[in-house]
Amino acid sequence: ESDTCQRRKSKRWIIASVVHCCRKKCLLLNDMVLITATLLTGFSRRAKAFEMILAGRFLEGIGAGRAPH
């Protein structure tokens, strides 16, 4: 009986660590998308390219949609 309890606890620990690891990577990816969007929008005036604003806004929309609530 205690053996099955130990297995359940170890499975829960593995699942919790995987979820934590994946959540951290997801947040880092989302931050990279938002930083790229900010750089595109910021440098669009210097490059005089309206398309960079559109690409930056598109990436900002993706980053906002992926953000945890």
Side-chain angles (χ1 to χ4, degrees), residues 4-31:
T4 58
C5 185
Q6 289 292 336
R7 278 190 261 167
R8 285 182 187 166
K9 287 181 181 179
S10 65
K11 285 181 184 180
R12 287 180 188 164
W13 181 81
I14 291 171
I15 291 171
S17 64
V18 168
V19 168
H20 176 72
C21 178
C22 293
R23 184 180 302 156
K24 185 176 180 180
K25 287 181 183 178
C26 182
L27 288 172
L28 287 173
L29 176 68
N30 194 33
D31 288 342

Side-chain angles (χ1 to χ4, degrees), residues 5 7 17 24 34 38 46 48 53 56 68:
C5 185
R7 278 190 261 167
S17 64
K24 185 176 180 180
L34 289 174
T38 303
R46 182 174 291 208
K48 296 181 181 170
I53 294 175

Side-chain angles (χ1 to χ4, degrees), residues 21-63:
C21 178
C22 293
R23 184 180 302 156
K24 185 176 180 180
K25 287 181 183 178
C26 182
L27 288 172
L28 287 173
L29 176 68
N30 194 33
D31 288 342
M32 293 304 295
V33 169
L34 289 174
I35 288 171
T36 304
T38 303
L39 290 174
L40 280 174
T41 305
F43 287 124
S44 65
R45 178 175 276 179
R46 182 174 291 208
K48 296 181 181 170
F50 181 71
E51 296 84 8
M52 288 176 69
I53 294 175
L54 293 176
R57 293 295 300 262
F58 179 73
L59 287 176
E60 286 173 4
I62 290 174

